[in-house]
């Protein structure tokens, strides 16, 4: 009876190390290189094209040839500064990214299309982000939303 417990302990210990992050690539779906860091989320989601070839976020959330949609610029250095601990432009009391608290981060509520959001689920039109992509963004927030 001892052996299975020992194996479980080894697996649990492995998950505390980097190997659990490697497993994330299996859930990252259309963006296999996605990791829970801000630079990866920006490169592999915000500035990337989705399965239809459309820029997932940064075609609208940019100041190039337009006013950023929703008052939110997700390009370049501005993205982090406009997300973390910054109030929503439209929903009173909402904060775009609350470090350590994905459920109360408005960006999560918007990409999950939760009830109570102002406006519509993001991206503005489907395809939406996959569950795995959202899990990875959640994890970046959960672990402190570092500028990493
Ligand atoms: C086709 C244009 C378009 C695309 C693509 C798009 N958005 Fe938006 N976004 C908008 C518009 C317009 C608003 C303002 C209306 C609203 O909140 O529904 C908005 C609002 C938001 C807000 C709320 C800002 C605030 O302060 O209230 C967030 C967060 C957001 N978008 C995130 C994203 C993310 C993340 C993506 C990519 C996964 C994305 N959007 C893709 C047009 C777009």
């Amino acid at each position: 009876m001892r052996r299975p417990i020992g194996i479980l302990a080894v697996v649990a210990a492995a998950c505390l190390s980097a190997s659990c992050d490697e497993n994330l690539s299996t859930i990252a779906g259309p963006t296999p290189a996605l990791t829970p860091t801000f630079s990866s989320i920006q490169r592999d989601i915000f500035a990337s094209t989705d399965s239809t070839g459309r820029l997932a976020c940064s075609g609208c959330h940019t100041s190039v040839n337009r006013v950023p949609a929703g008052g939110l610029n997700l390009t370049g250095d501005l993205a982090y500064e406009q997300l973390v601990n910054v109030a929503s432009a439209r929903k009173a009391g909402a904060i775009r990214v609350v470090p350590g608290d994905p459920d109360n981060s408005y960006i999560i509520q918007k990409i999950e299309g939760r009830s109570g959001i102002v406006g519509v689920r993001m991206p503005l039109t489907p395809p939406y982000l996959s569950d795995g992509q959202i899990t990875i963004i959640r994890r970046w927030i959960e672990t402190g939303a570092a500028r990493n």
Side-chain angles (χ1 to χ4, degrees):
M1 286 307 285
R2 286 195 163 185
R3 183 160 296 206
I5 292 169
I7 290 167
L8 279 182
V10 169
V11 171
C15 275
L16 294 174
S17 72
S19 52
C20 252
D21 283 339
E22 282 163 24
N23 293 339
L24 284 175
S25 66
T26 60
I27 63 165
T31 49
L34 184 64
T35 60
T37 61
F38 187 70
S39 53
S40 174
I41 290 165
Q42 189 172 32
R43 180 184 62 242
D44 297 314
I45 295 185
F46 298 165
S48 192
T49 47
D50 61 25
S51 55
T52 68
R54 171 195 71 177
L55 272 175
C57 313
S58 59
C60 301
H61 292 284
T62 178
S63 56
V64 176
N65 297 325
R66 59 166 298 148
V67 173
L72 172 62
N73 190 333
L74 291 177
T75 67
D77 287 345
L78 279 174
Y80 188 87
E81 284 149 27
Q82 296 208 347
L83 282 174
V84 178
N85 292 314
V86 174
S88 154
R90 303 209 172 188
K91 178 160 180 171
I95 303 293
R96 289 169 173 166
V97 169
V98 181
D101 192 351
D103 281 327
N104 283 311
S105 294
Y106 194 53
I107 191 171
I108 296 295
Q109 299 173 3
K110 289 288 272 183
I111 61 181
E112 289 182 346
R114 293 234 218 111
S115 61
I117 57 173
V118 170
V120 298
R121 184 176 184 182
M122 287 293 131
L124 195 61
T125 53
Y128 298 120
L129 300 183
S130 69
D131 290 348
Q133 288 175 309
I134 294 174
T135 299
I136 292 171
I137 298 175
R138 280 180 155 276
R139 178 145 165 190
W140 167 69
I141 295 174
E142 217 164 55
T143 52
R147 190 168 198 154
N148 52 12

